Amino acid sequence: MAQAHASNFKNPVVKWIDSRLPVFTMLHHEYNEYPMPKNVNYLWAFGAIAGIMLVIMIATGLVLAMQYAANTAIAFDSVERIMRDVNYGWLLRYVHANGASFFFIAVYLHMFRGLYYGSYKAPREILWIIGVVIFLLMMATAFMGYVLPWGQMSFWGATVITNLFSAFPIVGDPIVTWLWGGFSVDNPTLNRFFALHFLLPFVILGVVILHTAALHICGSNNPLGIDPKGPQDTVPFNPYITVKDLFAVVCFLIVYAIFVFFMPNYLGHPDNYIPANPLVTPAHIVPEWYFLPFYAILRAIPDKLGGVLAMFGAIAVLVILPWLDTSKVRSCKFRPIYRQFFWVLALDALVLGYAGAMPAEGNWLLIARIGTAYYFFHFLILLPILGKLERPSPMPASISEPVLKGGGRVAAGAHAKPMEKA
Amino acid sequence: MRALKTVILSAAVALGLGGTALASEGVKIPAQSWAHSGVFGTIDKASAQRGFQVYKEICAACHSMKLVPIRTLAGIGFKEDELKALAASYEVQAGPNDNGEMFMRPGIPADRFPSPFPNDNAARAANNGALPPDLSLVAKARVGGEDYLYAFLTGFEDPPADVNLMPGMNYNKYFPGHQVGMPNILSDDGVAYADGTKATAAQQAKDVATFLTFVAEPKLDERKQMGVKVILFLIVLAGLMYATKRQMWAKLH
């Protein structure tokens, strides 16, 4: 006779199901008992926040898709119908449009947290790479979503970005024609972008599940970057991390709500309230803010193909980051030199973002070039060398030790309170 | 180290908040005070109604507002019978009838505002080649929003000596490129306000900018009122969450 799963649940219905399909055991294991290092700070909440944003985007997007019409003749007007005639359509659209920005804010902070605390290092390389895949999927989804309202920036943004592929020799132009479904960005392009914009979030959801699965194999990193030595170093995910994450989620939602209700168009571009017109090019074509650093890298290289390769390269270096960083020490807390360079990289990303919003000429072009050079220098040269040369500061023996003793064994006094360190 | 971090974080905030301001170019657009700005600001309905009068008597001669249903004006205080009467004053095309012919009928509040020209080409032909933009979303489609609209409408002046105006063009201080097909259309007492407000050109510009803000964002008041409630709720919820978190974690130490 077939063996049923030995379930520990008391409720007879739950037990009946669980002994045949142990989903309750799985959920209990992964979300109740899952041991989290007790010293994680609030930066660890951005994974949960990003997850919530994905759910918000799918929920609002589904309802918007019921009202939206993907046809160049009526797409713009159908969005205005949503804004004016659909019950709470304005709310759905503003939550969705600003949601994209806040999803990226959460994910960028999540990524920089990973960079600072070395969350990409062994054994979490695949976890990190899956994260980069999610980031790429998000960029594709966000780009295609921005095309749907069929405003001026939608149309011209789509034209610029799809044209990037024409930089590749021989195959470039056929690829662009294939992407467009014609000889310019037009109705077939809009149709397929809508189909893909609907599909990709569910692909993201699937990859997020993989990301979580990979995380639960290795366990979460923590601000000290050292592995938990036993139960004294961890807390069960529920209720300790659940309640902490929920508090962080609500704080994040407050900032999000300020944008949705009081400045809903602040992160957008006014030109996108002008219907797409293939005969009129806007003075400056700028992508959404979350693409600006990559846009700056693209324009910093004087050669078109070179620019495209550099832009994709900027993400490719993230894929091989676990092997570029040769230091065995995870957390920047114990890497006095690299810690400085981490902040230089953060500043570099912001400068690139600013330069990306400016016309690519004069000083801004020069700044973008310096920023691009530093970006690649940081990953390709600095990280491999620094890992060999840098002398890490002394590390605590376990997670509990600095928590209990107020960080007595941690060399640098300024970093004595891991709980408060943001 | 700390200082560098502060600089970076404040730069992040400034950059995030400065997104759209970057696109403005040329002359700085002076900020006006609007009844609808700020967290609790609502559309000044009297001003928007006067602005509608300016739109109807002046702007509508050339500009369409084709995304806006006439019933939208209920949001600035038009009663149902007023809306019906207003709608009926427009002729809209309907049909085809049983003989296959299009015909004209009086408008109803669900109709959109009829356009002055049948298509863009006709609009260009009547306006020296320039296309008067649709006004439905103009308050959201220009850098500077309603401040820009006010500045533009009051920004016509004689061209500086070194500027060569192209034929049929007019000089405007705030228009990108300064040369614009539209003439200085607002003049003192160009309309007669029923409520006794003195119809200076500046007052008309202010009123029509308020009106255009309303038609671009008819749910503005509703949005802000909901926003206040949502954020108050979230702040209370955050407080409760934080207290719960403190209490739970206190047991750990």
Side-chain angles (χ1 to χ4, degrees), chain B residues 140-173:
Chain B
K140 291 200 286 189
R142 297 290 180 276
V143 175
E146 54 271 53
D147 287 332
Y148 169 77
L149 296 182
Y150 178 85
F152 172 78
L153 289 170
T154 55
F156 289 91
E157 53 187 36
D158 291 331
D162 58 335
V163 171
N164 254 338
L165 273 189
M166 289 186 289
M169 298 299 258
N170 304 282
Y171 188 87
N172 188 298
K173 204 168 141 190

PDB file of all heavy atoms in Angstrom, chain B residues 140-173:
ATOM      1  N   LYS B 140      -1.635  68.515 -17.898  1.00  0.00           N
ATOM      2  CA  LYS B 140      -0.691  67.477 -17.456  1.00  0.00           C
ATOM      3  C   LYS B 140       0.389  67.217 -18.502  1.00  0.00           C
ATOM      4  O   LYS B 140       1.348  66.503 -18.233  1.00  0.00           O
ATOM      5  CB  LYS B 140      -1.439  66.162 -17.181  1.00  0.00           C
ATOM      6  CG  LYS B 140      -2.330  66.224 -15.966  1.00  0.00           C
ATOM      7  CD  LYS B 140      -2.672  64.849 -15.428  1.00  0.00           C
ATOM      8  CE  LYS B 140      -3.662  64.117 -16.283  1.00  0.00           C
ATOM      9  NZ  LYS B 140      -4.154  62.867 -15.625  1.00  0.00           N
ATOM     10  N   ALA B 141       0.199  67.766 -19.694  1.00  0.00           N
ATOM     11  CA  ALA B 141       1.094  67.426 -20.804  1.00  0.00           C
ATOM     12  C   ALA B 141       2.165  68.485 -21.041  1.00  0.00           C
ATOM     13  O   ALA B 141       2.853  68.441 -22.059  1.00  0.00           O
ATOM     14  CB  ALA B 141       0.279  67.213 -22.084  1.00  0.00           C
ATOM     15  N   ARG B 142       2.283  69.446 -20.133  1.00  0.00           N
ATOM     16  CA  ARG B 142       3.316  70.463 -20.288  1.00  0.00           C
ATOM     17  C   ARG B 142       4.152  70.516 -19.026  1.00  0.00           C
ATOM     18  O   ARG B 142       3.599  70.446 -17.916  1.00  0.00           O
ATOM     19  CB  ARG B 142       2.692  71.846 -20.524  1.00  0.00           C
ATOM     20  CG  ARG B 142       1.878  71.977 -21.800  1.00  0.00           C
ATOM     21  CD  ARG B 142       2.746  71.943 -23.054  1.00  0.00           C
ATOM     22  NE  ARG B 142       1.949  72.076 -24.273  1.00  0.00           N
ATOM     23  CZ  ARG B 142       1.333  71.079 -24.885  1.00  0.00           C
ATOM     24  NH1 ARG B 142       1.406  69.854 -24.408  1.00  0.00           N
ATOM     25  NH2 ARG B 142       0.639  71.286 -25.984  1.00  0.00           N
ATOM     26  N   VAL B 143       5.455  70.657 -19.185  1.00  0.00           N
ATOM     27  CA  VAL B 143       6.317  70.840 -18.025  1.00  0.00           C
ATOM     28  C   VAL B 143       5.878  72.127 -17.329  1.00  0.00           C
ATOM     29  O   VAL B 143       5.743  73.165 -17.973  1.00  0.00           O
ATOM     30  CB  VAL B 143       7.793  70.936 -18.458  1.00  0.00           C
ATOM     31  CG1 VAL B 143       8.674  71.256 -17.261  1.00  0.00           C
ATOM     32  CG2 VAL B 143       8.227  69.650 -19.117  1.00  0.00           C
ATOM     33  N   GLY B 144       5.613  72.033 -16.040  1.00  0.00           N
ATOM     34  CA  GLY B 144       5.148  73.205 -15.304  1.00  0.00           C
ATOM     35  C   GLY B 144       3.641  73.198 -15.092  1.00  0.00           C
ATOM     36  O   GLY B 144       3.128  73.960 -14.281  1.00  0.00           O
ATOM     37  N   GLY B 145       2.920  72.367 -15.838  1.00  0.00           N
ATOM     38  CA  GLY B 145       1.486  72.192 -15.600  1.00  0.00           C
ATOM     39  C   GLY B 145       0.721  73.506 -15.686  1.00  0.00           C
ATOM     40  O   GLY B 145       0.895  74.290 -16.612  1.00  0.00           O
ATOM     41  N   GLU B 146      -0.142  73.736 -14.666  1.00  0.00           N
ATOM     42  CA  GLU B 146      -0.994  74.922 -14.704  1.00  0.00           C
ATOM     43  C   GLU B 146      -0.191  76.217 -14.583  1.00  0.00           C
ATOM     44  O   GLU B 146      -0.597  77.251 -15.113  1.00  0.00           O
ATOM     45  CB  GLU B 146      -2.085  74.840 -13.633  1.00  0.00           C
ATOM     46  CG  GLU B 146      -1.595  74.606 -12.204  1.00  0.00           C
ATOM     47  CD  GLU B 146      -1.487  73.126 -11.868  1.00  0.00           C
ATOM     48  OE1 GLU B 146      -0.817  72.390 -12.627  1.00  0.00           O
ATOM     49  OE2 GLU B 146      -2.039  72.704 -10.838  1.00  0.00           O
ATOM     50  N   ASP B 147       0.953  76.148 -13.910  1.00  0.00           N
ATOM     51  CA  ASP B 147       1.820  77.333 -13.848  1.00  0.00           C
ATOM     52  C   ASP B 147       2.262  77.724 -15.253  1.00  0.00           C
ATOM     53  O   ASP B 147       2.324  78.898 -15.600  1.00  0.00           O
ATOM     54  CB  ASP B 147       3.062  77.053 -12.989  1.00  0.00           C
ATOM     55  CG  ASP B 147       2.730  76.983 -11.513  1.00  0.00           C
ATOM     56  OD1 ASP B 147       1.748  77.640 -11.095  1.00  0.00           O
ATOM     57  OD2 ASP B 147       3.434  76.269 -10.784  1.00  0.00           O
ATOM     58  N   TYR B 148       2.581  76.712 -16.045  1.00  0.00           N
ATOM     59  CA  TYR B 148       2.992  76.983 -17.421  1.00  0.00           C
ATOM     60  C   TYR B 148       1.830  77.578 -18.219  1.00  0.00           C
ATOM     61  O   TYR B 148       2.010  78.534 -18.978  1.00  0.00           O
ATOM     62  CB  TYR B 148       3.511  75.715 -18.106  1.00  0.00           C
ATOM     63  CG  TYR B 148       3.688  75.914 -19.593  1.00  0.00           C
ATOM     64  CD1 TYR B 148       4.790  76.607 -20.095  1.00  0.00           C
ATOM     65  CD2 TYR B 148       2.722  75.467 -20.501  1.00  0.00           C
ATOM     66  CE1 TYR B 148       4.929  76.836 -21.455  1.00  0.00           C
ATOM     67  CE2 TYR B 148       2.853  75.685 -21.855  1.00  0.00           C
ATOM     68  CZ  TYR B 148       3.955  76.373 -22.333  1.00  0.00           C
ATOM     69  OH  TYR B 148       4.081  76.613 -23.670  1.00  0.00           O
ATOM     70  N   LEU B 149       0.633  77.010 -18.049  1.00  0.00           N
ATOM     71  CA  LEU B 149      -0.516  77.519 -18.810  1.00  0.00           C
ATOM     72  C   LEU B 149      -0.734  79.003 -18.510  1.00  0.00           C
ATOM     73  O   LEU B 149      -0.938  79.806 -19.419  1.00  0.00           O
ATOM     74  CB  LEU B 149      -1.781  76.723 -18.469  1.00  0.00           C
ATOM     75  CG  LEU B 149      -1.776  75.245 -18.855  1.00  0.00           C
ATOM     76  CD1 LEU B 149      -3.108  74.607 -18.490  1.00  0.00           C
ATOM     77  CD2 LEU B 149      -1.501  75.080 -20.344  1.00  0.00           C
ATOM     78  N   TYR B 150      -0.670  79.348 -17.219  1.00  0.00           N
ATOM     79  CA  TYR B 150      -0.862  80.748 -16.836  1.00  0.00           C
ATOM     80  C   TYR B 150       0.250  81.608 -17.438  1.00  0.00           C
ATOM     81  O   TYR B 150       0.003  82.664 -18.015  1.00  0.00           O
ATOM     82  CB  TYR B 150      -0.877  80.880 -15.311  1.00  0.00           C
ATOM     83  CG  TYR B 150      -1.019  82.311 -14.849  1.00  0.00           C
ATOM     84  CD1 TYR B 150      -2.277  82.894 -14.745  1.00  0.00           C
ATOM     85  CD2 TYR B 150       0.110  83.083 -14.545  1.00  0.00           C
ATOM     86  CE1 TYR B 150      -2.414  84.210 -14.350  1.00  0.00           C
ATOM     87  CE2 TYR B 150      -0.027  84.397 -14.148  1.00  0.00           C
ATOM     88  CZ  TYR B 150      -1.287  84.960 -14.051  1.00  0.00           C
ATOM     89  OH  TYR B 150      -1.418  86.268 -13.664  1.00  0.00           O
ATOM     90  N   ALA B 151       1.481  81.128 -17.283  1.00  0.00           N
ATOM     91  CA  ALA B 151       2.623  81.898 -17.793  1.00  0.00           C
ATOM     92  C   ALA B 151       2.506  82.071 -19.305  1.00  0.00           C
ATOM     93  O   ALA B 151       2.728  83.165 -19.839  1.00  0.00           O
ATOM     94  CB  ALA B 151       3.932  81.178 -17.443  1.00  0.00           C
ATOM     95  N   PHE B 152       2.124  81.011 -19.988  1.00  0.00           N
ATOM     96  CA  PHE B 152       1.995  81.075 -21.447  1.00  0.00           C
ATOM     97  C   PHE B 152       0.929  82.085 -21.854  1.00  0.00           C
ATOM     98  O   PHE B 152       1.151  82.950 -22.704  1.00  0.00           O
ATOM     99  CB  PHE B 152       1.666  79.687 -21.997  1.00  0.00           C
ATOM    100  CG  PHE B 152       1.332  79.682 -23.463  1.00  0.00           C
ATOM    101  CD1 PHE B 152       2.336  79.760 -24.415  1.00  0.00           C
ATOM    102  CD2 PHE B 152       0.013  79.629 -23.888  1.00  0.00           C
ATOM    103  CE1 PHE B 152       2.037  79.773 -25.775  1.00  0.00           C
ATOM    104  CE2 PHE B 152      -0.297  79.638 -25.238  1.00  0.00           C
ATOM    105  CZ  PHE B 152       0.709  79.717 -26.184  1.00  0.00           C
ATOM    106  N   LEU B 153      -0.242  81.997 -21.206  1.00  0.00           N
ATOM    107  CA  LEU B 153      -1.362  82.853 -21.610  1.00  0.00           C
ATOM    108  C   LEU B 153      -1.100  84.324 -21.314  1.00  0.00           C
ATOM    109  O   LEU B 153      -1.671  85.195 -21.961  1.00  0.00           O
ATOM    110  CB  LEU B 153      -2.652  82.398 -20.915  1.00  0.00           C
ATOM    111  CG  LEU B 153      -3.213  81.070 -21.428  1.00  0.00           C
ATOM    112  CD1 LEU B 153      -4.327  80.574 -20.527  1.00  0.00           C
ATOM    113  CD2 LEU B 153      -3.711  81.217 -22.865  1.00  0.00           C
ATOM    114  N   THR B 154      -0.233  84.581 -20.327  1.00  0.00           N
ATOM    115  CA  THR B 154       0.064  85.984 -20.005  1.00  0.00           C
ATOM    116  C   THR B 154       1.459  86.361 -20.495  1.00  0.00           C
ATOM    117  O   THR B 154       1.948  87.435 -20.180  1.00  0.00           O
ATOM    118  CB  THR B 154      -0.004  86.215 -18.477  1.00  0.00           C
ATOM    119  OG1 THR B 154       0.893  85.279 -17.847  1.00  0.00           O
ATOM    120  CG2 THR B 154      -1.402  85.989 -17.948  1.00  0.00           C
ATOM    121  N   GLY B 155       2.093  85.478 -21.261  1.00  0.00           N
ATOM    122  CA  GLY B 155       3.508  85.681 -21.611  1.00  0.00           C
ATOM    123  C   GLY B 155       3.750  86.255 -22.990  1.00  0.00           C
ATOM    124  O   GLY B 155       4.891  86.257 -23.463  1.00  0.00           O
ATOM    125  N   PHE B 156       2.703  86.727 -23.655  1.00  0.00           N
ATOM    126  CA  PHE B 156       2.913  87.311 -24.987  1.00  0.00           C
ATOM    127  C   PHE B 156       3.504  88.704 -24.841  1.00  0.00           C
ATOM    128  O   PHE B 156       3.081  89.487 -23.994  1.00  0.00           O
ATOM    129  CB  PHE B 156       1.587  87.377 -25.753  1.00  0.00           C
ATOM    130  CG  PHE B 156       1.086  86.028 -26.181  1.00  0.00           C
ATOM    131  CD1 PHE B 156       0.225  85.299 -25.371  1.00  0.00           C
ATOM    132  CD2 PHE B 156       1.492  85.476 -27.378  1.00  0.00           C
ATOM    133  CE1 PHE B 156      -0.224  84.050 -25.754  1.00  0.00           C
ATOM    134  CE2 PHE B 156       1.042  84.228 -27.777  1.00  0.00           C
ATOM    135  CZ  PHE B 156       0.184  83.516 -26.963  1.00  0.00           C
ATOM    136  N   GLU B 157       4.492  89.001 -25.636  1.00  0.00           N
ATOM    137  CA  GLU B 157       5.063  90.355 -25.615  1.00  0.00           C
ATOM    138  C   GLU B 157       5.700  90.650 -26.966  1.00  0.00           C
ATOM    139  O   GLU B 157       5.790  89.768 -27.828  1.00  0.00           O
ATOM    140  CB  GLU B 157       6.078  90.485 -24.479  1.00  0.00           C
ATOM    141  CG  GLU B 157       7.148  89.426 -24.482  1.00  0.00           C
ATOM    142  CD  GLU B 157       8.030  89.485 -23.233  1.00  0.00           C
ATOM    143  OE1 GLU B 157       7.519  89.802 -22.128  1.00  0.00           O
ATOM    144  OE2 GLU B 157       9.233  89.229 -23.377  1.00  0.00           O
ATOM    145  N   ASP B 158       6.130  91.901 -27.120  1.00  0.00           N
ATOM    146  CA  ASP B 158       6.806  92.262 -28.369  1.00  0.00           C
ATOM    147  C   ASP B 158       8.139  91.538 -28.424  1.00  0.00           C
ATOM    148  O   ASP B 158       8.827  91.433 -27.410  1.00  0.00           O
ATOM    149  CB  ASP B 158       7.033  93.777 -28.425  1.00  0.00           C
ATOM    150  CG  ASP B 158       5.692  94.494 -28.578  1.00  0.00           C
ATOM    151  OD1 ASP B 158       4.778  93.894 -29.171  1.00  0.00           O
ATOM    152  OD2 ASP B 158       5.556  95.625 -28.065  1.00  0.00           O
ATOM    153  N   PRO B 159       8.514  91.043 -29.589  1.00  0.00           N
ATOM    154  CA  PRO B 159       9.773  90.295 -29.668  1.00  0.00           C
ATOM    155  C   PRO B 159      10.973  91.202 -29.414  1.00  0.00           C
ATOM    156  O   PRO B 159      10.941  92.381 -29.778  1.00  0.00           O
ATOM    157  CB  PRO B 159       9.779  89.762 -31.099  1.00  0.00           C
ATOM    158  CG  PRO B 159       8.818  90.605 -31.839  1.00  0.00           C
ATOM    159  CD  PRO B 159       7.808  91.097 -30.862  1.00  0.00           C
ATOM    160  N   PRO B 160      12.022  90.674 -28.757  1.00  0.00           N
ATOM    161  CA  PRO B 160      13.256  91.450 -28.600  1.00  0.00           C
ATOM    162  C   PRO B 160      13.815  91.805 -29.973  1.00  0.00           C
ATOM    163  O   PRO B 160      13.499  91.146 -30.971  1.00  0.00           O
ATOM    164  CB  PRO B 160      14.190  90.481 -27.869  1.00  0.00           C
ATOM    165  CG  PRO B 160      13.324  89.409 -27.322  1.00  0.00           C
ATOM    166  CD  PRO B 160      12.116  89.341 -28.180  1.00  0.00           C
ATOM    167  N   ALA B 161      14.644  92.852 -30.007  1.00  0.00           N
ATOM    168  CA  ALA B 161      15.120  93.386 -31.288  1.00  0.00           C
ATOM    169  C   ALA B 161      15.844  92.322 -32.114  1.00  0.00           C
ATOM    170  O   ALA B 161      15.763  92.319 -33.345  1.00  0.00           O
ATOM    171  CB  ALA B 161      16.040  94.575 -31.032  1.00  0.00           C
ATOM    172  N   ASP B 162      16.546  91.390 -31.431  1.00  0.00           N
ATOM    173  CA  ASP B 162      17.358  90.434 -32.188  1.00  0.00           C
ATOM    174  C   ASP B 162      16.574  89.209 -32.658  1.00  0.00           C
ATOM    175  O   ASP B 162      17.145  88.275 -33.207  1.00  0.00           O
ATOM    176  CB  ASP B 162      18.561  89.994 -31.333  1.00  0.00           C
ATOM    177  CG  ASP B 162      18.112  89.378 -30.021  1.00  0.00           C
ATOM    178  OD1 ASP B 162      16.988  89.708 -29.577  1.00  0.00           O
ATOM    179  OD2 ASP B 162      18.855  88.574 -29.444  1.00  0.00           O
ATOM    180  N   VAL B 163      15.269  89.170 -32.406  1.00  0.00           N
ATOM    181  CA  VAL B 163      14.489  88.002 -32.819  1.00  0.00           C
ATOM    182  C   VAL B 163      13.736  88.305 -34.106  1.00  0.00           C
ATOM    183  O   VAL B 163      13.063  89.325 -34.224  1.00  0.00           O
ATOM    184  CB  VAL B 163      13.493  87.594 -31.714  1.00  0.00           C
ATOM    185  CG1 VAL B 163      12.539  86.529 -32.231  1.00  0.00           C
ATOM    186  CG2 VAL B 163      14.236  87.086 -30.501  1.00  0.00           C
ATOM    187  N   ASN B 164      13.907  87.445 -35.100  1.00  0.00           N
ATOM    188  CA  ASN B 164      13.183  87.583 -36.351  1.00  0.00           C
ATOM    189  C   ASN B 164      11.973  86.673 -36.335  1.00  0.00           C
ATOM    190  O   ASN B 164      12.090  85.468 -36.467  1.00  0.00           O
ATOM    191  CB  ASN B 164      14.094  87.181 -37.521  1.00  0.00           C
ATOM    192  CG  ASN B 164      14.559  88.395 -38.291  1.00  0.00           C
ATOM    193  OD1 ASN B 164      13.912  89.447 -38.219  1.00  0.00           O
ATOM    194  ND2 ASN B 164      15.660  88.249 -39.002  1.00  0.00           N
ATOM    195  N   LEU B 165      10.798  87.245 -36.139  1.00  0.00           N
ATOM    196  CA  LEU B 165       9.596  86.427 -36.108  1.00  0.00           C
ATOM    197  C   LEU B 165       9.269  85.929 -37.508  1.00  0.00           C
ATOM    198  O   LEU B 165       9.319  86.690 -38.474  1.00  0.00           O
ATOM    199  CB  LEU B 165       8.421  87.245 -35.592  1.00  0.00           C
ATOM    200  CG  LEU B 165       8.211  87.303 -34.080  1.00  0.00           C
ATOM    201  CD1 LEU B 165       6.889  87.974 -33.781  1.00  0.00           C
ATOM    202  CD2 LEU B 165       8.256  85.930 -33.451  1.00  0.00           C
ATOM    203  N   MET B 166       8.923  84.642 -37.592  1.00  0.00           N
ATOM    204  CA  MET B 166       8.479  84.127 -38.880  1.00  0.00           C
ATOM    205  C   MET B 166       7.068  84.658 -39.145  1.00  0.00           C
ATOM    206  O   MET B 166       6.350  84.987 -38.201  1.00  0.00           O
ATOM    207  CB  MET B 166       8.487  82.597 -38.851  1.00  0.00           C
ATOM    208  CG  MET B 166       9.901  82.037 -38.837  1.00  0.00           C
ATOM    209  SD  MET B 166       9.924  80.253 -38.976  1.00  0.00           S
ATOM    210  CE  MET B 166       9.305  79.760 -37.389  1.00  0.00           C
ATOM    211  N   PRO B 167       6.679  84.720 -40.417  1.00  0.00           N
ATOM    212  CA  PRO B 167       5.365  85.291 -40.729  1.00  0.00           C
ATOM    213  C   PRO B 167       4.246  84.530 -40.027  1.00  0.00           C
ATOM    214  O   PRO B 167       4.255  83.299 -39.979  1.00  0.00           O
ATOM    215  CB  PRO B 167       5.247  85.146 -42.253  1.00  0.00           C
ATOM    216  CG  PRO B 167       6.474  84.481 -42.734  1.00  0.00           C
ATOM    217  CD  PRO B 167       7.430  84.316 -41.621  1.00  0.00           C
ATOM    218  N   GLY B 168       3.327  85.273 -39.459  1.00  0.00           N
ATOM    219  CA  GLY B 168       2.177  84.654 -38.801  1.00  0.00           C
ATOM    220  C   GLY B 168       2.457  84.163 -37.408  1.00  0.00           C
ATOM    221  O   GLY B 168       1.579  83.606 -36.755  1.00  0.00           O
ATOM    222  N   MET B 169       3.700  84.325 -36.934  1.00  0.00           N
ATOM    223  CA  MET B 169       4.026  83.833 -35.601  1.00  0.00           C
ATOM    224  C   MET B 169       3.977  84.966 -34.592  1.00  0.00           C
ATOM    225  O   MET B 169       4.043  86.138 -34.944  1.00  0.00           O
ATOM    226  CB  MET B 169       5.421  83.197 -35.589  1.00  0.00           C
ATOM    227  CG  MET B 169       5.543  81.999 -36.507  1.00  0.00           C
ATOM    228  SD  MET B 169       4.421  80.683 -36.037  1.00  0.00           S
ATOM    229  CE  MET B 169       5.536  79.606 -35.202  1.00  0.00           C
ATOM    230  N   ASN B 170       3.857  84.585 -33.327  1.00  0.00           N
ATOM    231  CA  ASN B 170       3.806  85.549 -32.241  1.00  0.00           C
ATOM    232  C   ASN B 170       4.879  85.208 -31.228  1.00  0.00           C
ATOM    233  O   ASN B 170       5.280  84.048 -31.107  1.00  0.00           O
ATOM    234  CB  ASN B 170       2.438  85.522 -31.571  1.00  0.00           C
ATOM    235  CG  ASN B 170       1.338  85.764 -32.577  1.00  0.00           C
ATOM    236  OD1 ASN B 170       1.080  86.887 -32.981  1.00  0.00           O
ATOM    237  ND2 ASN B 170       0.710  84.680 -33.030  1.00  0.00           N
ATOM    238  N   TYR B 171       5.328  86.227 -30.493  1.00  0.00           N
ATOM    239  CA  TYR B 171       6.405  86.009 -29.528  1.00  0.00           C
ATOM    240  C   TYR B 171       5.819  85.768 -28.151  1.00  0.00           C
ATOM    241  O   TYR B 171       5.005  86.539 -27.656  1.00  0.00           O
ATOM    242  CB  TYR B 171       7.345  87.209 -29.494  1.00  0.00           C
ATOM    243  CG  TYR B 171       8.569  86.948 -28.653  1.00  0.00           C
ATOM    244  CD1 TYR B 171       9.688  86.341 -29.199  1.00  0.00           C
ATOM    245  CD2 TYR B 171       8.579  87.282 -27.296  1.00  0.00           C
ATOM    246  CE1 TYR B 171      10.801  86.066 -28.423  1.00  0.00           C
ATOM    247  CE2 TYR B 171       9.690  87.009 -26.514  1.00  0.00           C
ATOM    248  CZ  TYR B 171      10.799  86.401 -27.088  1.00  0.00           C
ATOM    249  OH  TYR B 171      11.892  86.124 -26.317  1.00  0.00           O
ATOM    250  N   ASN B 172       6.233  84.651 -27.543  1.00  0.00           N
ATOM    251  CA  ASN B 172       5.801  84.354 -26.177  1.00  0.00           C
ATOM    252  C   ASN B 172       7.028  84.018 -25.340  1.00  0.00           C
ATOM    253  O   ASN B 172       7.855  83.194 -25.720  1.00  0.00           O
ATOM    254  CB  ASN B 172       4.825  83.174 -26.166  1.00  0.00           C
ATOM    255  CG  ASN B 172       4.209  82.953 -24.800  1.00  0.00           C
ATOM    256  OD1 ASN B 172       4.894  82.665 -23.829  1.00  0.00           O
ATOM    257  ND2 ASN B 172       2.888  83.115 -24.723  1.00  0.00           N
ATOM    258  N   LYS B 173       7.101  84.695 -24.182  1.00  0.00           N
ATOM    259  CA  LYS B 173       8.265  84.565 -23.314  1.00  0.00           C
ATOM    260  C   LYS B 173       8.462  83.124 -22.838  1.00  0.00           C
ATOM    261  O   LYS B 173       9.586  82.679 -22.612  1.00  0.00           O
ATOM    262  CB  LYS B 173       8.017  85.469 -22.106  1.00  0.00           C
ATOM    263  CG  LYS B 173       9.239  85.937 -21.376  1.00  0.00           C
ATOM    264  CD  LYS B 173       8.797  87.038 -20.412  1.00  0.00           C
ATOM    265  CE  LYS B 173       9.544  86.928 -19.104  1.00  0.00           C
ATOM    266  NZ  LYS B 173       8.967  87.822 -18.088  1.00  0.00           N
TER     267      LYS B 173
END
